[in-house]
Amino acid sequence: MSDRSADGAGGAGDGGSWPPVRRLADWDASRLRSLADAFETPLYVLDLDRARANYRRLAAAFPDAEIAYAAKANGLVDLLRVLCADGATIECASAGEVYRAREAGIPGDLIRYTAVNPPERDLEYVVDAWREDPTLTITAGAWDTVRRLAELGYGGRLCLRVTPGVGAGHHAAVRTGGDATFGLPADRLVETARDAVDRGLDLVGLHAHVGSGVLDADQRAAHRRFVARVADLVTEVCDATGSLDLVSVGGGFGVPYRSDETPLALDALANATRAALADVDARLSIEPGRYLVADAGVLLTEANTVKETPTTRVVGVDAGMTTLLRPALYDASHAVRPLAPDAPDRETISQTVSGPVCESADLICADRSFPRVERGELLAVGNAGAYGYEMTSTYNARPRPATVVVDGSDARLARRRESLSDLARLEVATGREVVE
Ligand SMILES: *Cc1c(COP(=O)(O)O)cnc(C)c1O
């Protein structure tokens, strides 16, 4: 693994080699047009250099921390390899993500598995993986998960996930830190820690996750309160069961989606985190997902229908909620940019970009002002690198898009587009008997 500090230039937010934000306008339109020509649309484009830059900026702000990339933001194997080569470990939210990390050749000591209401099949898979590579770490968020792991014979590295009762984030649906679903209630923590140790598990850390999309000063203040609460809880556990190696404060580092939002004040967040943990004698671990990949990706889509209505101009495109769910799920705002060479000279009008799915939520954006788009032209959708492809579906029997990876001047297909026959592949032939 390369040395995190090897690239001495740049640093948190200094605008050097790791500029704090990459807006959609910063992407080269002619390159995006040629990728769409070569690989067709809808197409996800992921720039590995940008993911590296984001990683290095974060590593510079948190020089001694473990950085565990939350693979659920974007689990592309190429990306996992690139981040691990820079020093990341991989945070997995399911057995499937553990499987993908192992397929990518990532060793157990770089794999963290966080079990949220884990199906038995997931636990069995991960415990089997641990038998093959006893260095992996499991995080449990419920007392009975600890018991089930012990019953499966697991005696490996364990972190306990606690609900600190303080959440933060861009939308109520993602403020997990305050939500009882995701961790042990704080008042059961010490008892569960003792129980885990009694059952022969190797208790190595405490984990909590605040939520997602911490960006502005208020959310940073909430994050700081959250970390302070975690610090108190670590002390309680250490007093009961002895020292811990790791204290993970999760992810949630936000990125600006709208043009009026400013980038996260990373150094301020890092300093506040360090200050809140000053008395804790365990290595800090952070779990960024979105922060590392959101602005490393764009989605390319083509306008197939253009329609004037009394209130807006509707641009129908070949990407929608099955390609990028965030607008429908969270009302998320993603920048949209027409890629026609003369687009900057065109008149700016209100347009609604909608997809091909028969749902009124199937929108990329509504009543947004940007240069007029004509049928057959390309649009780029910004900040699509995180929670984009991972949330795709085949609803309305829409095949999933392809992904192209850009690495310096190279571009190659990383994941092919689904075909129509892929859509029927998993269906079991029934012989068409009629059930009376
Ligand atoms: C989703 C998740 C993350 C990453 O969240 P981001 O907002 O993408 O940084 C980190 N840790 C856990 C446990 C998560 O569930």
Side-chain angles (χ1 to χ4, degrees), residues 169-182:
H170 66 85
H171 187 278
V174 300
R175 281 169 216 140
T176 46
D179 187 328
T181 317
F182 298 101

Side-chain angles (χ1 to χ4, degrees), residues 312-337:
T312 186
R313 178 175 156 95
V314 178
V315 179
V317 296
D318 60 5
M321 64 189 290
T322 60
T323 337
L324 180 68
L325 181 60
R326 299 189 72 258
L329 185 63
Y330 303 127
D331 263 330
S333 174
H334 284 262
V336 169
R337 175 182 169 199

Side-chain angles (χ1 to χ4, degrees), residues 276-336:
L277 291 171
D279 297 331
V280 169
D281 183 23
R283 186 175 181 208
L284 171 64
S285 173
I286 55 174
E287 296 176 351
R290 181 187 321 276
Y291 189 83
L292 295 184
V293 288
D295 70 355
V298 295
L299 171 64
L300 303 181
T301 183
E302 187 180 293
N304 52 48
T305 310
V306 173
K307 189 161 52 181
E308 302 293 345
T309 75
T311 50
T312 186
R313 178 175 156 95
V314 178
V315 179
V317 296
D318 60 5
M321 64 189 290
T322 60
T323 337
L324 180 68
L325 181 60
R326 299 189 72 258
L329 185 63
Y330 303 127
D331 263 330
S333 174
H334 284 262
V336 169

Side-chain angles (χ1 to χ4, degrees), residues 68 70 72-73 91 93 114 116 161 176 182 207-209 211-214 250-254 287-291 386-387:
K72 76 174 194 282
E91 157 67 24
T114 298
V116 174
R161 179 169 183 173
T176 46
F182 298 101
H207 171 283
H209 174 62
S212 206
V214 171
F253 306 91
E287 296 176 351
R290 181 187 321 276
Y291 189 83
Y387 305 104

